[in-house]
Amino acid sequence: MELKRKTSVRYFALIIVVLFIAACRGNADFSPKPRGYYRIVFPAKEYQQYNEGCPFTFEYPKYSKIEPDRSANAKPCWQNIQFPQFNATLHLSYEPVKSKKEFNELVEDAHKLSFKHTVKATSIDEGIIQYPDRKVYGIYYTIDGNAASSAQFFLTDSTRHYLRGALYFNSEPRLDSIQPVLNFIKKDVDVMIKTFKWKD
């Protein structure tokens, strides 16, 4: 009886060893496949003019739509540029500037709101915006990493007008999966800034 049990155990161990050796043999050129992502079909880069009842105008993509901000604290000329295909929103908030003190506070707020993403961001870069012929000045904040907002900016004429923009995706921030879409939308934000004008 004891001999039969030892034979069964040896036979089982032999099968395991043979299976292990067979599993280890094969194509020596195996390499892991790169991570795949969903195929994204990007719309054509076509633009239209925003020229509603606000003291500014700019070009924005035809595949997006502009809606008034409907939040409880929204003010006139607060707009949301929706990118429904990509589940993203560019929030625009306009403030008339009444004093130098108020202007300084608005600029400081833009800085604080951008840098509150430091916890999740891997880096935050500032780029100067200057179009003296149109009196458009500001700062563009590029926020890298898994922060809630990937791009923010403000535009001003330094005396009477101030507009702040913040791009958000309406999903959990994962830079590795949204990077192609983010790059695509950022080009449209660049067009918006380059075509931005104050009306007066």
Side-chain angles (χ1 to χ4, degrees), residues 97-185:
V97 177
K98 299 183 181 92
S99 68
K100 183 68 174 170
K101 181 183 177 212
E102 184 180 48
F103 173 75
N104 291 337
E105 287 171 357
L106 289 167
V107 170
E108 184 59 29
D109 281 348
H111 185 77
K112 283 180 185 173
L113 289 167
S114 297
F115 276 84
K116 81 173 186 176
H117 297 285
T118 304
V119 175
K120 294 271 187 176
T122 54
S123 69
I124 300 177
D125 295 324
E126 296 179 22
I128 303 297
I129 300 167
Q130 282 187 322
Y131 297 102
D133 56 318
R134 288 179 271 132
K135 296 184 179 176
V136 175
Y137 309 96
I139 296 178
Y140 188 101
Y141 299 93
T142 303
I143 304 166
D144 292 324
N146 292 326
S149 177
S150 302
Q152 298 194 15
F153 63 89
F154 74 85
L155 303 172
T156 181
D157 65 350
S158 301
T159 54
R160 299 192 307 159
H161 303 294
Y162 172 92
L163 180 95
R164 182 175 174 274
L167 176 65
Y168 284 88
F169 285 88
N170 307 313
S171 59
E172 183 182 347
R174 289 195 167 171
L175 186 63
D176 60 344
S177 60
I178 66 164
Q179 189 70 61
V181 173
L182 176 61
N183 292 342
F184 185 82
I185 293 176

Side-chain angles (χ1 to χ4, degrees), residues 1-97:
M1 186 77 170
E2 188 67 32
L3 183 59
K4 194 172 185 181
R5 188 180 301 158
K6 284 185 181 179
T7 304
S8 297
V9 171
R10 284 184 185 155
Y11 181 70
F12 180 72
L14 180 62
I15 290 174
I16 296 293
V17 169
V18 169
L19 288 174
F20 180 75
I21 291 170
C24 291
R25 291 182 58 202
N27 188 356
D29 294 334
F30 174 78
S31 62
K33 294 181 180 176
R35 182 181 293 183
Y37 297 104
Y38 292 109
R39 183 170 180 264
I40 302 168
V41 178
F42 292 107
K45 291 283 188 191
E46 297 178 285
Y47 298 94
Q48 57 195 337
Q49 196 75 24
Y50 173 80
N51 200 9
E52 301 301 319
C54 296
F56 50 82
T57 182
F58 56 85
E59 290 181 12
Y60 67 102
K62 287 187 175 179
Y63 73 90
S64 67
K65 58 182 181 177
I66 297 185
E67 300 174 345
D69 188 332
R70 292 185 174 87
S71 60
N73 62 342
K75 297 179 182 178
C77 293
W78 283 25
Q79 309 289 340
N80 292 327
I81 302 179
Q82 302 288 352
F83 303 93
Q85 182 178 349
F86 303 122
N87 200 22
T89 305
L90 178 64
H91 301 276
L92 301 176
S93 51
Y94 170 77
E95 297 282 349
V97 177

Side-chain angles (χ1 to χ4, degrees), residues 129 131 134 187 189-197:
I129 300 167
Y131 297 102
R134 288 179 271 132
K187 288 177 184 171
V189 173
D190 290 346
V191 168
M192 180 206 153
I193 292 171
K194 286 174 182 172
T195 60
F196 191 92
K197 295 177 184 174

